[in-house]
């Protein structure tokens, strides 16, 4: 049997798809490109915005046009939130929602245990790259922010037990991978279902032999505690690289959207990390933040508050989203909806600010000695890799450096 995979959305989805691939390969199936004549197609969908939903549906229809005789299985967030719409698309054989996804391999192959549920979570990691793997440690969210469908799409907060996370990390190390990125919907909320703690997870993973670097993909500002920061700064495998969602730099909108911090707290947390991890001769900490443009009630004055706060914060990168009105969320019914043209204007302003901040961050790191983990891709005789603080370094290709940590002057 031949199977092809198509994935939209976040790194969590890619980790899950990679785990499906291993399960089907272990069951004797052949994994092929979606353009080949597969017997089965598995489409892992995204629903973070209305555009994501549309892309998911269009991708399914495209697959059916390419191979009308094939079975099409659909999973992911759009499958959970838009199930009747997905089931109605011609060619769809079966839809797997959030609580069913771990059964996909066993349902198709009859082999149980190919993909497992651990602690009520479909345990997963990616294995497509030689240098980096995304390890899913947590799923779901209990925050129910006013604009967000994630708790409905992925369920309540739950986690993979620490022992299972360590087992998967050892498997990743056995593949020769040197770096792991911890992923989850609300990663720092780890421990809800097992009574364990996020700091204990970090400490256990830090001991896994063969893994030389860890990153935390995204963590809420109120969940990255001083205890965690102090421990990372003490000299661990965890890198000076943080992705912390801000969403808006307006306290008025933070309260309105149900976020669990204000700008003063957010800034204090960033400053504390900098105080513990930066110093003479040390690399600057990379901070990526998420920001939404055009939240309901975001007046020009409140948007300018966000711009002013971001300039004060001086992150390294801004991941900019236009607010997407999601049916069934409280924000969708709020007054003060911002027009699409105005959202686009604000996105452009934020993206230009991002470019300025990125350049400033790079300049602040020039002359610093840092270790670079080089990747295997040979592009026009060049290879690249990332420093611990996520600066991409390019050099002439040398196969002897693939997967190696090489000290370099930025």
């Amino acid at each position: 049997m031949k199977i092809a995979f198509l994935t939209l959305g976040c790194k969590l989805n890619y980790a899950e798809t990679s785990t499906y691939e291993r399960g089907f390969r272990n069951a004797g199936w052949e994994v092929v490109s979606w353009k080949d004549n597969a017997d089965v197609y598995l489409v892992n969908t995204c629903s973070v915005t209305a555009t994501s939903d549309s892309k998911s549906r269009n991708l399914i229809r495209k697959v059916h046009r390419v191979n009308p005789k094939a079975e099409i299985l659909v999973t992911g967030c759009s499958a959970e939130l838009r199930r009747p719409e997905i089931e109605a698309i011609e060619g769809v054989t079966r839809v797997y929602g959030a609580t069913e996804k771990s059964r996909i391999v066993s349902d198709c192959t009859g082999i149980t245990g190919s993909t497992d549920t651990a602690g009520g979570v479909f345990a997963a990691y990616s294995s497509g790259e030689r240098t980096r793997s995304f390890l899913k440690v947590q799923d779901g969210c209990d925050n129910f922010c006013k604009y967000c469908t994630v708790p409905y799409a992925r369920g309540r907060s739950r986690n993979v037990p620490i022992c299972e996370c360590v087992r998967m990390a050892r498997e990743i190390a056995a593949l020769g991978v040197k770096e792991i990125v911890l992923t989850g919907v609300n990663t720092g909320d780890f421990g809800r279902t097992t009574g364990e703690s996020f700091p204990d997870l970090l400490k256990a993973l830090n001991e896994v032999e063969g893994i030389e670097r860890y990153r935390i993909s995204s963590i809420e500002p109120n969940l990255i505690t001083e205890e965690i920061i102090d421990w990372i700064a003490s000299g661990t495998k965890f890198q000076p690289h943080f992705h912390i969602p801000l969403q808006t730099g307006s306290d008025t909108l933070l309260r309105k959207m149900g976020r669990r911090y204000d700008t003063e707290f957010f800034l204090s947390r960033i400053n504390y990390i900098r105080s513990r991890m930066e110093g003479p001769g040390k690399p600057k900490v990379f901070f990526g933040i998420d920001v939404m443009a055009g939240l309901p009630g975001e007046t020009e004055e409140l948007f300018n508050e966000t711009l002013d706060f971001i300039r004060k914060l001086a992150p390294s990168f801004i991941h900019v989203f236009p607010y997407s009105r999601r049916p069934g969320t409280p924000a969708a019914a709020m007054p003060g909806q911002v027009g699409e043209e105005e959202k686009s204007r604000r996105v452009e302003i934020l993206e230009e600010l991002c470019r300025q901040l990125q350049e400033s961050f790079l300049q602040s790191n020039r002359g610093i000695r840092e270790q670079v983990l080089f990747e295997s891709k040979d592009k026009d005789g060049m290879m690249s890799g990332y420093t611990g603080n996520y600066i991409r370094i390019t050099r002439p290709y040398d196969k002897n450096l693939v997967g190696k940590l090489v000290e370099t002057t930025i």
Side-chain angles (χ1 to χ4, degrees):
M1 294 287 286
K2 296 180 180 180
I3 186 167
F5 298 88
L6 299 96
T7 306
L8 295 169
C10 62
K11 297 299 184 184
L12 210 52
N13 271 10
Y14 282 89
E16 290 172 350
T17 295
S18 188
T19 301
Y20 296 134
E21 288 189 25
R22 290 193 302 274
F24 278 102
R25 287 186 196 276
N26 292 339
W29 287 42
E30 182 183 356
V31 176
V32 299
S33 166
W34 72 272
K35 296 178 182 178
D36 293 336
N37 196 31
D39 301 295
V40 178
Y41 290 82
L42 176 57
V43 183
N44 200 347
T45 61
C46 177
S47 186
V48 70
T49 65
T51 300
S52 302
D53 274 325
S54 179
K55 284 183 179 179
S56 297
R57 293 191 297 270
N58 289 338
L59 189 58
I60 295 165
R61 293 186 182 104
K62 184 175 183 178
V63 167
H64 182 59
R65 287 196 302 271
V66 169
N67 191 350
K69 295 181 180 179
E71 293 186 14
I72 301 176
L73 311 178
V74 184
T75 188
C77 290
S78 196
E80 175 69 23
L81 292 176
R82 305 282 178 265
R83 188 172 195 136
E85 296 172 42
I86 300 292
E87 288 175 332
I89 298 174
E90 187 176 356
V92 171
T93 307
R94 185 159 181 185
V95 174
Y96 288 87
T99 61
E100 304 162 307
K101 62 176 66 176
S102 63
R103 302 205 312 261
I104 291 174
V105 176
S106 59
D107 280 359
C108 292
T109 66
I111 298 174
T112 58
S114 301
T115 52
D116 298 315
T117 301
V121 187
F122 170 38
Y125 65 86
S126 66
S127 52
E129 296 183 48
R130 289 177 59 183
T131 51
R132 182 180 300 108
S133 176
F134 293 87
L135 173 61
K136 175 183 173 183
V137 300
Q138 185 273 344
D139 205 343
C141 185
D142 291 350
N143 287 353
F144 290 92
C145 299
K146 305 301 184 184
Y147 52 80
C148 187
T149 60
V150 167
Y152 311 103
R154 285 192 166 266
R156 302 302 290 265
S157 180
R158 56 206 188 280
N159 65 282
V160 180
I162 289 177
C163 61
E164 181 67 9
C165 294
V166 169
R167 184 192 67 77
M168 290 191 291
R170 287 173 178 156
E171 284 187 10
I172 293 166
L175 297 172
V177 174
K178 301 297 183 185
E179 180 175 298
I180 287 177
V181 183
L182 304 187
T183 65
V185 172
N186 189 0
T187 312
D189 200 39
F190 182 94
R192 287 275 178 175
T193 48
T194 60
E196 298 167 309
S197 74
F198 192 53
D200 286 343
L201 170 69
L202 304 187
K203 290 170 185 175
L205 291 173
N206 199 60
E207 299 301 317
V208 175
E209 293 184 11
I211 302 300
E212 299 189 39
R213 301 206 302 199
Y214 288 96
R215 302 182 193 274
I216 302 170
S217 64
S218 182
I219 185 167
E220 293 287 313
N222 53 308
L223 296 177
I224 182 162
T225 62
E226 291 187 2
E227 175 193 0
I228 292 171
I229 296 162
D230 290 343
W231 178 77
I232 291 175
S234 70
T236 69
K237 296 176 183 179
F238 285 81
Q239 301 303 298
H241 172 197
F242 298 94
H243 190 98
I244 306 176
L246 172 65
Q247 309 306 7
T248 173
S250 159
D251 286 330
T252 299
L253 290 175
L254 287 172
R255 286 192 299 271
K256 190 174 180 179
M257 295 300 138
R259 300 296 286 167
R260 302 187 176 196
Y261 53 87
D262 57 19
T263 54
E264 182 181 359
F265 178 86
F266 196 101
L267 180 61
S268 69
R269 194 53 27 117
I270 298 298
N271 286 341
Y272 187 78
I273 294 172
R274 284 177 170 144
S275 72
R276 297 292 288 114
M277 297 188 187
E278 293 182 352
K282 286 186 174 183
K284 303 296 184 183
V285 177
F286 181 101
F287 291 103
I289 63 171
D290 291 337
V291 176
M292 271 191 280
L295 283 163
E298 186 184 64
T299 61
E300 187 70 14
E301 181 184 359
L302 296 184
F303 177 62
N304 286 329
E305 282 185 15
T306 291
L307 292 176
D308 290 342
F309 180 70
I310 293 172
R311 292 186 187 105
K312 185 177 181 181
L313 193 65
S316 318
F317 179 79
I318 313 171
H319 195 180
V320 183
F321 302 86
Y323 165 69
S324 180
R325 198 171 185 175
R326 311 303 289 131
T329 60
M334 288 180 180
Q337 299 290 330
V338 179
E340 295 304 316
E341 188 175 333
E342 178 59 21
K343 283 185 207 172
S344 297
R345 185 186 74 86
R346 294 178 187 181
V347 165
E348 288 179 9
I349 292 170
L350 285 163
E351 288 180 340
E352 175 56 33
L353 178 56
C354 178
R355 284 187 284 272
Q356 295 170 13
L357 291 166
Q358 281 183 290
E359 181 58 31
S360 177
F361 177 70
L362 290 173
Q363 291 301 329
S364 70
N365 280 277
R366 291 206 180 275
I368 299 291
R369 298 285 290 176
E370 248 283 49
Q371 288 193 323
V372 180
L373 180 60
F374 282 105
E375 299 172 357
S376 59
K377 294 174 184 174
D378 180 351
K379 187 174 181 181
D380 301 323
M382 304 295 286
M383 69 192 306
S384 64
Y386 287 91
T387 62
N389 64 340
Y390 211 60
I391 294 174
R392 189 181 182 197
I393 304 293
T394 303
R395 57 151 292 145
Y397 184 83
D398 182 346
K399 67 178 182 180
N400 296 317
L401 299 183
V402 172
K404 301 282 179 61
L405 282 168
V406 181
E407 191 162 287
T408 305
T409 300
I410 300 173

